[in-house]
Amino acid sequence: MSVQPEITQRDLRSRSKEIMDAVEGGNAFTVTRDGHQIGELIPLRRRRRFVSRAQFASVSRKAAPVDIEAFRLDQEAAIDQDHGDPYER
């Protein structure tokens, strides 16, 4: 595990653009004040919205097979089959 570089609160104030650009680029920093660690600046984790066909196929190969009949029976058991009038009192 790598240790994050430390920056002082004063450095953060005076070099904020440079430091924020580094965070945007994937770097993380530990912020200190009076020699004490007070926080971390870390890049946001962004979820990927697109999964390629190859990635989906790769993950799908490892998935357990689905018994379609058992799946449908489970759905039928979970769904309320009595569709009465919702406005009936």
Side-chain angles (χ1 to χ4, degrees):
M1 179 197 272
S2 63
V3 176
Q4 297 172 173
E6 289 187 355
I7 56 171
T8 65
Q9 180 181 8
R10 179 178 295 187
D11 281 341
L12 180 57
R13 240 188 346 261
S14 64
R15 299 175 32 221
S16 64
K17 181 182 179 347
E18 174 189 344
I19 292 167
M20 290 301 157
D21 286 347
V23 171
E24 186 177 33
N27 296 316
F29 299 91
T30 300
V31 181
T32 63
R33 179 173 51 201
D34 298 326
H36 301 285
Q37 295 179 343
I38 60 168
E40 293 179 308
L41 285 175
I42 59 171
L44 290 175
R45 292 187 185 136
R46 294 202 170 107
R47 291 181 181 246
R48 291 179 18 194
R49 293 178 182 236
F50 176 76
V51 176
S52 72
R53 182 182 299 240
Q55 289 170 321
F56 181 77
S58 172
V59 171
S60 297
R61 272 190 230 98
K62 299 172 190 168
V66 175
D67 179 348
I68 221 48
E69 288 303 316
F71 178 72
R72 287 185 179 146
L73 289 172
D74 286 345
Q75 283 184 317
E76 291 297 322
I79 295 173
D80 180 14
Q81 297 296 321
D82 183 20
H83 293 90
D85 185 353
Y87 300 105
E88 185 179 296
R89 293 185 186 210

